mmCIF file with all atom_site columns, all heavy atoms in Angstrom:
data_model
loop_
_atom_site.group_PDB
_atom_site.id
_atom_site.type_symbol
_atom_site.label_atom_id
_atom_site.label_alt_id
_atom_site.label_comp_id
_atom_site.label_asym_id
_atom_site.label_entity_id
_atom_site.label_seq_id
_atom_site.pdbx_PDB_ins_code
_atom_site.Cartn_x
_atom_site.Cartn_y
_atom_site.Cartn_z
_atom_site.occupancy
_atom_site.B_iso_or_equiv
_atom_site.pdbx_formal_charge
_atom_site.auth_seq_id
_atom_site.auth_comp_id
_atom_site.auth_asym_id
_atom_site.auth_atom_id
_atom_site.pdbx_PDB_model_num
ATOM 1   N N   . ARG A 1 162 ? 71.717 118.211 107.514 1.00 0.00 ? 185 ARG A N   1
ATOM 2   C CA  . ARG A 1 162 ? 71.204 119.352 106.728 1.00 0.00 ? 185 ARG A CA  1
ATOM 3   C C   . ARG A 1 162 ? 71.709 119.375 105.372 1.00 0.00 ? 185 ARG A C   1
ATOM 4   O O   . ARG A 1 162 ? 70.927 119.619 104.439 1.00 0.00 ? 185 ARG A O   1
ATOM 5   C CB  . ARG A 1 162 ? 71.581 120.694 107.494 1.00 0.00 ? 185 ARG A CB  1
ATOM 6   C CG  . ARG A 1 162 ? 70.986 121.830 106.857 1.00 0.00 ? 185 ARG A CG  1
ATOM 7   C CD  . ARG A 1 162 ? 71.103 123.142 107.579 1.00 0.00 ? 185 ARG A CD  1
ATOM 8   N NE  . ARG A 1 162 ? 70.564 124.275 106.881 1.00 0.00 ? 185 ARG A NE  1
ATOM 9   C CZ  . ARG A 1 162 ? 69.306 124.542 106.771 1.00 0.00 ? 185 ARG A CZ  1
ATOM 10  N NH1 . ARG A 1 162 ? 68.377 123.707 107.284 1.00 0.00 ? 185 ARG A NH1 1
ATOM 11  N NH2 . ARG A 1 162 ? 68.924 125.589 106.068 1.00 0.00 ? 185 ARG A NH2 1
ATOM 12  N N   . ARG A 1 163 ? 72.876 119.122 105.085 1.00 0.00 ? 186 ARG A N   1
ATOM 13  C CA  . ARG A 1 163 ? 73.499 118.933 103.737 1.00 0.00 ? 186 ARG A CA  1
ATOM 14  C C   . ARG A 1 163 ? 72.720 117.934 102.883 1.00 0.00 ? 186 ARG A C   1
ATOM 15  O O   . ARG A 1 163 ? 72.321 118.295 101.805 1.00 0.00 ? 186 ARG A O   1
ATOM 16  C CB  . ARG A 1 163 ? 74.948 118.657 103.751 1.00 0.00 ? 186 ARG A CB  1
ATOM 17  C CG  . ARG A 1 163 ? 75.898 119.701 104.241 1.00 0.00 ? 186 ARG A CG  1
ATOM 18  C CD  . ARG A 1 163 ? 77.327 119.184 104.330 1.00 0.00 ? 186 ARG A CD  1
ATOM 19  N NE  . ARG A 1 163 ? 78.287 120.114 104.793 1.00 0.00 ? 186 ARG A NE  1
ATOM 20  C CZ  . ARG A 1 163 ? 79.507 119.782 105.247 1.00 0.00 ? 186 ARG A CZ  1
ATOM 21  N NH1 . ARG A 1 163 ? 79.919 118.577 105.226 1.00 0.00 ? 186 ARG A NH1 1
ATOM 22  N NH2 . ARG A 1 163 ? 80.258 120.735 105.712 1.00 0.00 ? 186 ARG A NH2 1
ATOM 23  N N   . ARG A 1 164 ? 72.532 116.732 103.471 1.00 0.00 ? 187 ARG A N   1
ATOM 24  C CA  . ARG A 1 164 ? 71.848 115.644 102.738 1.00 0.00 ? 187 ARG A CA  1
ATOM 25  C C   . ARG A 1 164 ? 70.417 116.059 102.464 1.00 0.00 ? 187 ARG A C   1
ATOM 26  O O   . ARG A 1 164 ? 69.905 115.874 101.406 1.00 0.00 ? 187 ARG A O   1
ATOM 27  C CB  . ARG A 1 164 ? 71.925 114.418 103.572 1.00 0.00 ? 187 ARG A CB  1
ATOM 28  C CG  . ARG A 1 164 ? 71.228 113.216 102.918 1.00 0.00 ? 187 ARG A CG  1
ATOM 29  C CD  . ARG A 1 164 ? 71.886 112.862 101.663 1.00 0.00 ? 187 ARG A CD  1
ATOM 30  N NE  . ARG A 1 164 ? 71.215 111.703 101.027 1.00 0.00 ? 187 ARG A NE  1
ATOM 31  C CZ  . ARG A 1 164 ? 71.068 111.523 99.710  1.00 0.00 ? 187 ARG A CZ  1
ATOM 32  N NH1 . ARG A 1 164 ? 71.562 112.435 98.869  1.00 0.00 ? 187 ARG A NH1 1
ATOM 33  N NH2 . ARG A 1 164 ? 70.421 110.464 99.237  1.00 0.00 ? 187 ARG A NH2 1
ATOM 34  N N   . TRP A 1 165 ? 69.795 116.705 103.433 1.00 0.00 ? 188 TRP A N   1
ATOM 35  C CA  . TRP A 1 165 ? 68.373 117.076 103.325 1.00 0.00 ? 188 TRP A CA  1
ATOM 36  C C   . TRP A 1 165 ? 68.158 118.153 102.206 1.00 0.00 ? 188 TRP A C   1
ATOM 37  O O   . TRP A 1 165 ? 67.257 117.969 101.401 1.00 0.00 ? 188 TRP A O   1
ATOM 38  C CB  . TRP A 1 165 ? 67.838 117.663 104.626 1.00 0.00 ? 188 TRP A CB  1
ATOM 39  C CG  . TRP A 1 165 ? 66.392 118.141 104.569 1.00 0.00 ? 188 TRP A CG  1
ATOM 40  C CD1 . TRP A 1 165 ? 65.295 117.422 104.357 1.00 0.00 ? 188 TRP A CD1 1
ATOM 41  C CD2 . TRP A 1 165 ? 65.976 119.496 104.746 1.00 0.00 ? 188 TRP A CD2 1
ATOM 42  N NE1 . TRP A 1 165 ? 64.192 118.220 104.430 1.00 0.00 ? 188 TRP A NE1 1
ATOM 43  C CE2 . TRP A 1 165 ? 64.566 119.468 104.654 1.00 0.00 ? 188 TRP A CE2 1
ATOM 44  C CE3 . TRP A 1 165 ? 66.664 120.676 105.102 1.00 0.00 ? 188 TRP A CE3 1
ATOM 45  C CZ2 . TRP A 1 165 ? 63.841 120.710 104.802 1.00 0.00 ? 188 TRP A CZ2 1
ATOM 46  C CZ3 . TRP A 1 165 ? 65.893 121.841 105.191 1.00 0.00 ? 188 TRP A CZ3 1
ATOM 47  C CH2 . TRP A 1 165 ? 64.519 121.895 105.049 1.00 0.00 ? 188 TRP A CH2 1
ATOM 48  N N   . LEU A 1 166 ? 69.087 119.076 102.129 1.00 0.00 ? 189 LEU A N   1
ATOM 49  C CA  . LEU A 1 166 ? 69.084 120.142 101.061 1.00 0.00 ? 189 LEU A CA  1
ATOM 50  C C   . LEU A 1 166 ? 69.319 119.497 99.763  1.00 0.00 ? 189 LEU A C   1
ATOM 51  O O   . LEU A 1 166 ? 68.685 119.869 98.685  1.00 0.00 ? 189 LEU A O   1
ATOM 52  C CB  . LEU A 1 166 ? 70.039 121.220 101.374 1.00 0.00 ? 189 LEU A CB  1
ATOM 53  C CG  . LEU A 1 166 ? 69.768 122.107 102.595 1.00 0.00 ? 189 LEU A CG  1
ATOM 54  C CD1 . LEU A 1 166 ? 70.897 123.001 102.907 1.00 0.00 ? 189 LEU A CD1 1
ATOM 55  C CD2 . LEU A 1 166 ? 68.532 122.947 102.324 1.00 0.00 ? 189 LEU A CD2 1
ATOM 56  N N   . GLU A 1 167 ? 70.166 118.500 99.654  1.00 0.00 ? 190 GLU A N   1
ATOM 57  C CA  . GLU A 1 167 ? 70.418 117.842 98.449  1.00 0.00 ? 190 GLU A CA  1
ATOM 58  C C   . GLU A 1 167 ? 69.161 117.107 97.927  1.00 0.00 ? 190 GLU A C   1
ATOM 59  O O   . GLU A 1 167 ? 68.832 117.179 96.704  1.00 0.00 ? 190 GLU A O   1
ATOM 60  C CB  . GLU A 1 167 ? 71.570 116.752 98.581  1.00 0.00 ? 190 GLU A CB  1
ATOM 61  C CG  . GLU A 1 167 ? 72.992 117.343 98.673  1.00 0.00 ? 190 GLU A CG  1
ATOM 62  C CD  . GLU A 1 167 ? 73.951 116.227 98.891  1.00 0.00 ? 190 GLU A CD  1
ATOM 63  O OE1 . GLU A 1 167 ? 73.581 115.054 98.927  1.00 0.00 ? 190 GLU A OE1 1
ATOM 64  O OE2 . GLU A 1 167 ? 75.141 116.552 99.067  1.00 0.00 ? 190 GLU A OE2 1
ATOM 65  N N   . LEU A 1 168 ? 68.454 116.446 98.848  1.00 0.00 ? 191 LEU A N   1
ATOM 66  C CA  . LEU A 1 168 ? 67.255 115.735 98.443  1.00 0.00 ? 191 LEU A CA  1
ATOM 67  C C   . LEU A 1 168 ? 66.163 116.718 97.970  1.00 0.00 ? 191 LEU A C   1
ATOM 68  O O   . LEU A 1 168 ? 65.461 116.484 96.914  1.00 0.00 ? 191 LEU A O   1
ATOM 69  C CB  . LEU A 1 168 ? 66.722 114.984 99.684  1.00 0.00 ? 191 LEU A CB  1
ATOM 70  C CG  . LEU A 1 168 ? 67.521 113.803 100.068 1.00 0.00 ? 191 LEU A CG  1
ATOM 71  C CD1 . LEU A 1 168 ? 67.030 113.243 101.424 1.00 0.00 ? 191 LEU A CD1 1
ATOM 72  C CD2 . LEU A 1 168 ? 67.501 112.705 98.997  1.00 0.00 ? 191 LEU A CD2 1
ATOM 73  N N   . ARG A 1 169 ? 66.099 117.893 98.626  1.00 0.00 ? 192 ARG A N   1
ATOM 74  C CA  . ARG A 1 169 ? 65.135 118.955 98.189  1.00 0.00 ? 192 ARG A CA  1
ATOM 75  C C   . ARG A 1 169 ? 65.455 119.431 96.769  1.00 0.00 ? 192 ARG A C   1
ATOM 76  O O   . ARG A 1 169 ? 64.620 119.673 95.995  1.00 0.00 ? 192 ARG A O   1
ATOM 77  C CB  . ARG A 1 169 ? 65.023 120.023 99.197  1.00 0.00 ? 192 ARG A CB  1
ATOM 78  C CG  . ARG A 1 169 ? 64.406 119.712 100.499 1.00 0.00 ? 192 ARG A CG  1
ATOM 79  C CD  . ARG A 1 169 ? 64.320 120.850 101.498 1.00 0.00 ? 192 ARG A CD  1
ATOM 80  N NE  . ARG A 1 169 ? 63.329 121.797 100.959 1.00 0.00 ? 192 ARG A NE  1
ATOM 81  C CZ  . ARG A 1 169 ? 62.026 121.740 101.094 1.00 0.00 ? 192 ARG A CZ  1
ATOM 82  N NH1 . ARG A 1 169 ? 61.467 120.751 101.807 1.00 0.00 ? 192 ARG A NH1 1
ATOM 83  N NH2 . ARG A 1 169 ? 61.252 122.746 100.703 1.00 0.00 ? 192 ARG A NH2 1
ATOM 84  N N   . GLU A 1 170 ? 66.705 119.658 96.525  1.00 0.00 ? 193 GLU A N   1
ATOM 85  C CA  . GLU A 1 170 ? 67.198 120.190 95.224  1.00 0.00 ? 193 GLU A CA  1
ATOM 86  C C   . GLU A 1 170 ? 66.868 119.126 94.142  1.00 0.00 ? 193 GLU A C   1
ATOM 87  O O   . GLU A 1 170 ? 66.596 119.488 92.974  1.00 0.00 ? 193 GLU A O   1
ATOM 88  C CB  . GLU A 1 170 ? 68.658 120.402 95.205  1.00 0.00 ? 193 GLU A CB  1
ATOM 89  C CG  . GLU A 1 170 ? 69.040 121.654 96.018  1.00 0.00 ? 193 GLU A CG  1
ATOM 90  C CD  . GLU A 1 170 ? 70.575 121.803 96.129  1.00 0.00 ? 193 GLU A CD  1
ATOM 91  O OE1 . GLU A 1 170 ? 71.290 120.995 95.523  1.00 0.00 ? 193 GLU A OE1 1
ATOM 92  O OE2 . GLU A 1 170 ? 71.012 122.748 96.787  1.00 0.00 ? 193 GLU A OE2 1
ATOM 93  N N   . LYS A 1 171 ? 66.793 117.854 94.449  1.00 0.00 ? 194 LYS A N   1
ATOM 94  C CA  . LYS A 1 171 ? 66.496 116.824 93.550  1.00 0.00 ? 194 LYS A CA  1
ATOM 95  C C   . LYS A 1 171 ? 64.959 116.574 93.424  1.00 0.00 ? 194 LYS A C   1
ATOM 96  O O   . LYS A 1 171 ? 64.506 115.611 92.754  1.00 0.00 ? 194 LYS A O   1
ATOM 97  C CB  . LYS A 1 171 ? 67.223 115.519 93.940  1.00 0.00 ? 194 LYS A CB  1
ATOM 98  C CG  . LYS A 1 171 ? 68.732 115.574 93.805  1.00 0.00 ? 194 LYS A CG  1
ATOM 99  C CD  . LYS A 1 171 ? 69.394 114.318 94.196  1.00 0.00 ? 194 LYS A CD  1
ATOM 100 C CE  . LYS A 1 171 ? 70.942 114.463 94.084  1.00 0.00 ? 194 LYS A CE  1
ATOM 101 N NZ  . LYS A 1 171 ? 71.590 113.303 94.562  1.00 0.00 ? 194 LYS A NZ  1
ATOM 102 N N   . GLY A 1 172 ? 64.136 117.358 94.084  1.00 0.00 ? 195 GLY A N   1
ATOM 103 C CA  . GLY A 1 172 ? 62.753 117.278 94.048  1.00 0.00 ? 195 GLY A CA  1
ATOM 104 C C   . GLY A 1 172 ? 62.018 116.473 95.141  1.00 0.00 ? 195 GLY A C   1
ATOM 105 O O   . GLY A 1 172 ? 60.780 116.328 95.094  1.00 0.00 ? 195 GLY A O   1
ATOM 106 N N   . ASP A 1 173 ? 62.749 115.990 96.149  1.00 0.00 ? 196 ASP A N   1
ATOM 107 C CA  . ASP A 1 173 ? 62.191 115.232 97.172  1.00 0.00 ? 196 ASP A CA  1
ATOM 108 C C   . ASP A 1 173 ? 61.689 116.233 98.283  1.00 0.00 ? 196 ASP A C   1
ATOM 109 O O   . ASP A 1 173 ? 62.471 116.740 99.046  1.00 0.00 ? 196 ASP A O   1
ATOM 110 C CB  . ASP A 1 173 ? 63.172 114.227 97.825  1.00 0.00 ? 196 ASP A CB  1
ATOM 111 C CG  . ASP A 1 173 ? 62.576 113.409 98.904  1.00 0.00 ? 196 ASP A CG  1
ATOM 112 O OD1 . ASP A 1 173 ? 61.470 113.721 99.465  1.00 0.00 ? 196 ASP A OD1 1
ATOM 113 O OD2 . ASP A 1 173 ? 63.253 112.483 99.361  1.00 0.00 ? 196 ASP A OD2 1
#
Side-chain angles (χ1 to χ4, degrees):
R185 181 168 179 76
R186 286 175 183 165
R187 179 61 180 150
W188 177 65
L189 290 173
E190 285 178 3
L191 290 172
R192 289 184 68 84
E193 288 175 2
K194 293 177 180 178
D196 182 349

